[in-house]
Amino acid sequence: METAYLQDKLAGYFTWFHQHPEPGNGEVETTARIREILHDAGIEVLDGRSGGLLKTGLAARIQGKTDTPVVALRCDIDGLPITEASGLPYASRKAGFMHACGHDFHTASLLGAALLLNEGKETLEGTVKLLFQPAEEGGGGAQQVLDSHVLDDVREIYGLHVAANHASGLIGISPGGTHAGVGGFKISITGKGSHGAAPHHARDPIVAAAQLINTAQVIISRNTNPFDQGVLSFTHLEAGNTWNVIPEKALLEGTFRAFTDEKLAWIARRLQECCRAAAEAMGVTVDFSWRMYTMATNNHTALSEFAAETARALGLTVIPAEPVMGGEDFALYQKKIPGVFWTIGINSPEGAHHPGFIADMSQLSSAACFSAALARNSLARLSGKP
Ligand code: NI
């Protein structure tokens, strides 16, 4: 397939996806469009027990010379609840929703990889599964995919994300963690309300919340080795509803992030200790709960080198992927399957999750060619025919 022809086709797919963003677990039209494109290309969509258990999103399969080995290419397909302000002629047609994280780019480029692999499938040394994952933005999409068992026979997995701050076309690959593990917490403080003029009759949950927020700052700034990455942010604080009453309750929420499971558990433990201390000092009851949203990504060292070599062989420029404290549920796959999560520069001055985010669509064919090459070359290596 001519590159210019492929690029044109993918730009068409991309603009359609960009115009039709849908929330995580609600990607109905998106899934239908992906299915239609794959169907028109004669690519098998996995239904029923072999991967069709997903409500939105889907998996497809391209079988080469043999059933096995199997490798997977993954993209995510969900949009975000953001009102677009990019000024693009192909801006979102759905009020309040936008593809502000490049998942439209990921989807279009993976469709491109599918077309390329399908075109040359008689020379493919195994089978490629193409995974169009729903609900990456905190909606549990990767877990749904794992529960569907579609990846059970997969030996290696590759996924991509656009890098807003990298020049167009630069490929980012690093071994180890590139996206942090993400925890979220909720703290509810119960004290005793009273008149604002009579604080001695109250057990003030607002002062307790303020004290707790300040104390918790030491977890990162004083307790953490400066060379070790971690972040803790309070993002939601709610208490009271008027100016002259001390309320009974305060609610706090927030997030903490780090690159190892141990560090995440340690931050949660320290936070809990801060809650206990505030409760005791202020005479209030503090309920603390937390959960993990995703662990950190963990790129396989040898496969990262393989991916970088594959990119260079295509004439692409490879730079180290910049670690970010944002989460990515591709990490769940990497707990079970060795894989690499790579980035491609799309040069958006406004970063991801911003209403003015714009992905440079001229890089679609490049991302598609690289994805296809990763699948093709890993199958050749796994089957001993490099
Ligand atoms: Ni994203």
Side-chain angles (χ1 to χ4, degrees):
M1 197 180 301
E2 288 250 337
T3 311
Y5 174 76
L6 176 69
Q7 173 60 33
D8 255 20
K9 217 174 172 63
L10 301 189
Y13 298 160
F14 168 78
T15 49
W16 191 92
F17 289 122
H18 192 81
Q19 285 169 332
H20 299 85
E22 292 175 293
N25 293 316
E27 307 97 330
V28 177
E29 287 178 45
T30 307
T31 304
R33 181 81 181 111
I34 295 166
R35 182 181 290 274
E36 186 188 5
I37 292 167
L38 292 169
H39 182 263
D40 288 351
I43 295 169
E44 178 192 4
V45 172
L46 295 172
D47 279 316
R49 299 199 65 77
S50 56
L53 298 174
L54 296 171
K55 282 207 268 319
T56 54
L58 60 80
R61 198 174 84 112
I62 297 170
Q63 191 190 318
K65 291 186 204 167
T66 49
D67 275 351
T68 59
V70 183
V71 298
L73 300 175
R74 172 273 201 180
C75 74
D76 41 15
I77 65 171
D78 49 330
L80 284 161
I82 292 175
T83 298
E84 180 157 358
S86 65
L88 288 168
Y90 56 88
S92 169
R93 292 183 181 174
K94 298 217 169 147
F97 285 96
M98 175 187 181
H99 270 296
C101 198
H103 299 190
D104 46 357
F105 182 106
H106 307 163
T107 306
S109 72
L110 191 58
L111 284 166
L115 299 180
L116 290 168
L117 289 164
N118 195 49
E119 198 180 55
K121 66 180 173 185
E122 60 291 337
T123 59
L124 214 50
E125 303 286 351
T127 293
V128 181
K129 283 187 171 172
L130 303 140
L131 177 57
F132 296 86
Q133 183 206 302
E136 190 281 323
E137 301 280 358
Q143 191 58 52
Q144 292 172 38
V145 169
L146 289 172
D147 292 345
S148 81
H149 297 289
V150 70
L151 297 182
D152 285 3
D153 57 356
V154 167
R155 303 259 308 267
E156 291 177 13
I157 185 163
Y158 298 89
L160 81 158
H161 207 290
V162 294
N165 56 340
H166 285 169
S168 287
L170 290 180
I171 301 293
I173 300 173
S174 289
T178 57
H179 286 66
V182 177
F185 63 87
K186 214 174 233 188
I187 298 169
S188 70
I189 302 177
T190 307
K192 185 165 168 268
S194 84
H195 198 296
H200 54 298
H201 291 151
R203 286 199 301 280
D204 190 339
I206 293 183
V207 176
Q211 184 154 330
L212 172 56
I213 291 167
N214 276 323
T215 309
Q217 301 311 308
V218 307
I219 298 173
I220 302 299
S221 72
R222 304 288 82 188
N223 302 157
T224 294
N225 182 331
F227 290 98
D228 192 9
Q229 302 97 334
V231 65
L232 167 64
S233 293
F234 287 86
T235 55
H236 182 194
L237 168 58
E238 216 174 290
N241 55 10
T242 188
W243 67 279
N244 59 355
V245 177
I246 296 172
E248 188 195 355
K249 287 176 184 293
L251 172 75
L252 296 90
E253 288 187 283
T255 180
F256 53 95
R257 288 136 193 254
F259 280 92
T260 65
D261 294 351
E262 295 73 30
K263 176 85 184 175
L264 288 158
W266 176 82
I267 295 175
R269 207 164 56 240
R270 284 290 292 128
L271 196 49
Q272 186 152 30
E273 286 165 7
C274 292
C275 287
R276 272 197 225 115
E280 197 162 323
M282 304 301 299
V284 294
T285 308
V286 182
D287 273 332
F288 171 75
S289 61
W290 67 285
R291 57 165 286 205
M292 283 300 299
Y293 284 87
T294 178
M295 57 283 283
T297 56
N298 184 16
N299 286 341
H300 188 276
T301 305
L303 294 187
S304 298
E305 191 40 49
F306 155 78
E309 274 168 27
T310 302
R312 286 187 210 106
L314 290 175
L316 299 168
T317 303
V318 180
I319 59 168
E322 207 170 314
V324 292
M325 297 312 278
E328 167 56 61
D329 69 4
F330 189 79
L332 269 73
Y333 305 134
Q334 289 180 314
K335 278 273 174 191
K336 295 179 186 279
I337 308 163
V340 177
F341 194 63
W342 55 275
T343 63
I344 182 161
I346 48 90
N347 188 35
S348 176
E350 310 288 8
H353 292 219
H354 187 283
F357 175 80
I358 297 174
D360 177 1
M361 72 166 113
S362 72
Q363 299 307 314
L364 283 164
S365 56
S366 175
C369 291
F370 180 41
S371 277
L374 282 171
R376 173 172 288 283
N377 293 357
S378 62
L379 287 177
R381 174 170 39 73
L382 286 167
S383 60
K385 292 168 192 154

